[in-house]
Amino acid sequence: MTKQTLRAEVIARVKNLSPTYCKEADEAICRWVIQSDAYDKAQTIFCYVGTEREIDTMRLIHIMMRDGKSVAVPLCVEKGVMEARRIEGMGDLVSGRYGILAPRLVCPVVPPEELDLVIVPCCTGNARGERLGYGGGYYDRYLAKAKCPTMLLCRHQLERDDIPMEPHDVTLDYFVTERGVVDCKNK
């Protein structure tokens, strides 16, 4: 199966997930993240802002800030290139490229080497840390520069074993569903 075919299949499945399941799964995923050792050890966290079809990370970002974490979110600066920008509160988020909430341009850049944890979205993923994104390559390019633990968030009903991987695809360290956290490197 090609990435494009699998991506289309999973996106179609997302539309059929019940809002109740999504809300409950997202809340459980957030709980697992904040209970993890990776979260506990991290001071500076790069976390995406979920879209309608992704895990809702707004609650998670609120908790990070409450816990005194330094939070950075993605800003797409050109095709295939993103930066981590530190936010101080939800007022720093505005509608950005692709209609995704993004940090204001005045928010400071956080270099990849200053990050302690990167929380990554996916179309689908699995417990081997394999991820299928949405086709822009933003995260594969960015993660190649980040030297910290990475965490993939995915609803269990969207989990897939048959993800086509290419040499440039980055595997992640942790895989989180509503069922728990899997350490992909030390199963």
Side-chain angles (χ1 to χ4, degrees):
M1 180 177 296
T2 68
K3 286 184 176 185
Q4 293 81 0
T5 304
L6 180 56
R7 191 175 291 118
E9 182 181 305
V10 174
I11 289 171
R13 286 188 67 199
V14 169
K15 293 176 184 174
N16 293 321
L17 295 176
S18 81
T20 301
Y21 165 73
C22 292
K23 183 178 185 306
E24 290 173 358
D26 294 4
E27 288 172 358
I29 289 166
C30 288
R31 281 194 305 275
W32 283 112
V33 169
I34 63 174
Q35 292 171 13
S36 71
D37 286 340
Y39 176 83
D40 189 49
K41 293 174 184 173
Q43 180 53 42
T44 302
I45 301 174
F46 184 27
C47 182
Y48 71 97
V49 179
T51 64
E52 222 175 85
R53 64 183 172 200
E54 297 170 330
I55 307 302
D56 180 1
T57 58
M58 292 301 276
R59 179 174 174 267
L60 182 57
I61 291 170
H62 279 287
I63 292 169
M64 289 176 196
M65 290 181 170
R66 181 202 68 200
D67 288 349
K69 307 287 187 182
S70 177
V71 179
V73 298
L75 176 66
C76 298
V77 293
E78 60 184 72
K79 186 176 169 114
V81 179
M82 69 179 178
E83 296 174 339
R85 297 281 185 116
R86 186 179 329 278
I87 61 170
E88 298 299 325
M90 296 305 171
D92 284 341
L93 298 175
V94 296
S95 184
R97 189 175 286 189
Y98 312 114
I100 300 170
L101 287 177
R104 296 179 183 280
L105 291 175
V106 297
C107 293
V109 174
V110 179
E113 61 273 8
E114 291 183 17
L115 299 171
D116 300 315
L117 177 64
V118 179
I119 297 177
V120 182
C122 67
C123 183
T124 184
N126 61 41
R128 291 187 301 276
E130 297 171 342
R131 168 188 178 269
L132 179 67
Y134 295 98
Y138 288 89
Y139 278 92
D140 286 319
R141 285 184 197 90
Y142 192 86
L143 293 175
K145 297 181 271 181
K147 303 300 179 208
C148 64
T150 55
M151 187 175 278
L152 182 60
L153 308 186
C154 182
R155 294 181 188 113
H156 174 70
Q157 289 188 18
L158 300 176
E159 184 176 346
R160 292 292 295 255
D161 262 346
D162 58 341
I163 297 174
M165 297 292 286
E166 297 175 30
H168 66 272
D169 291 330
V170 176
T171 57
L172 288 90
D173 300 307
Y174 299 95
F175 180 66
V176 185
T177 70
E178 64 271 26
R179 294 182 172 191
V181 179
V182 174
D183 182 339
C184 303
K185 307 292 185 192
N186 299 305
K187 281 204 267 186

